[in-house]
């Protein structure tokens, strides 16, 4: 039974430190996109493997009244096509679909977005770093502390509730 004695050193949060470091190093390389926009990221298997959940997500994203950027994971593209939802997104003139972008580019997009709609936990944390309102396209989250901040919102994939949150955030100056 080994024990460690001594001082406890608080060194910080490596996720925060690395995100800020990458942002600072690359912010001059990436141009700011003009105008308000939303940023979407969906890749969790709990969503991808459910046509019902993906249909709700497509419905939510389709109702965003501002330009919306959605860099897509290969798996997300595959499931959207499998469920017949990909073409719905492609036809929407406000939605810009792309392949995944580099992390520095994604961080740039995130820092200038008006609102984030995601199902990933790390982006939930990054939203707090840059003080960006973030709608969690999930039923629950492991990062409960973010929900107490007033800028992370658990949607439970309720289309009506999420639409109201989007309107609230876009009407309010965050």
């Amino acid at each position: 039974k080994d024990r460690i004695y001594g001082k406890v050193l608080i060194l910080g949060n490596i996720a925060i430190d690395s995100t800020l470091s990458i942002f600072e190093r690359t912010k001059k390389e990436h141009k700011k996109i003009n105008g308000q926009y939303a940023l979407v990221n969906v890749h969790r298997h709990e969503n991808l493997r459910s046509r019902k959940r993906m249909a709700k997500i497509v419905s939510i994203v389709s109702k965003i009244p501002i330009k919306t950027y959605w860099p897509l994971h290969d798996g997300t593209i595959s499931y959207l096509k499998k469920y017949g939802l990909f073409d719905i997104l492609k036809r929407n003139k406000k939605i810009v679909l792309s392949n995944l972008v580099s992390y520095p580019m994604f961080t740039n997009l995130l820092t200038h977005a008006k609102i984030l709609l995601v199902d990933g936990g790390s982006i939930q944390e990054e939203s707090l770093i840059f003080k960006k309102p973030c709608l969690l396209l999930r039923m629950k989250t492991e990062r409960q502390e973010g929900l107490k901040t007033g800028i992370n919102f658990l949607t439970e994939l309720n289309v009506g509730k999420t639409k109201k949150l989007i309107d609230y955030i876009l009407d309010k100056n965050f």
Side-chain angles (χ1 to χ4, degrees), residues 110-144:
L110 186 151
T111 59
H112 299 295
K114 178 72 174 170
I115 186 172
L116 310 172
L117 292 93
V118 307
D119 67 359
S122 61
I123 298 173
Q124 180 182 346
E125 289 183 9
E126 292 157 351
S127 77
L128 296 172
I129 295 168
F130 296 108
K131 297 177 179 48
K132 295 295 173 178
C134 182
L135 303 185
L136 306 172
L137 301 173
R138 299 183 63 190
M139 302 305 285
K140 59 184 178 178
T141 178
E142 298 80 19
R143 293 171 170 89
Q144 293 291 314

Side-chain angles (χ1 to χ4, degrees), residues 40 42 70-77 80 86 89 97-101:
V40 177
V42 174
W70 189 348
L72 292 157
H73 291 75
D74 290 341
T76 307
I77 294 170
L80 286 167
F86 188 76
L89 295 169
L97 302 174
S98 72
N99 292 324
L100 283 182
V101 295

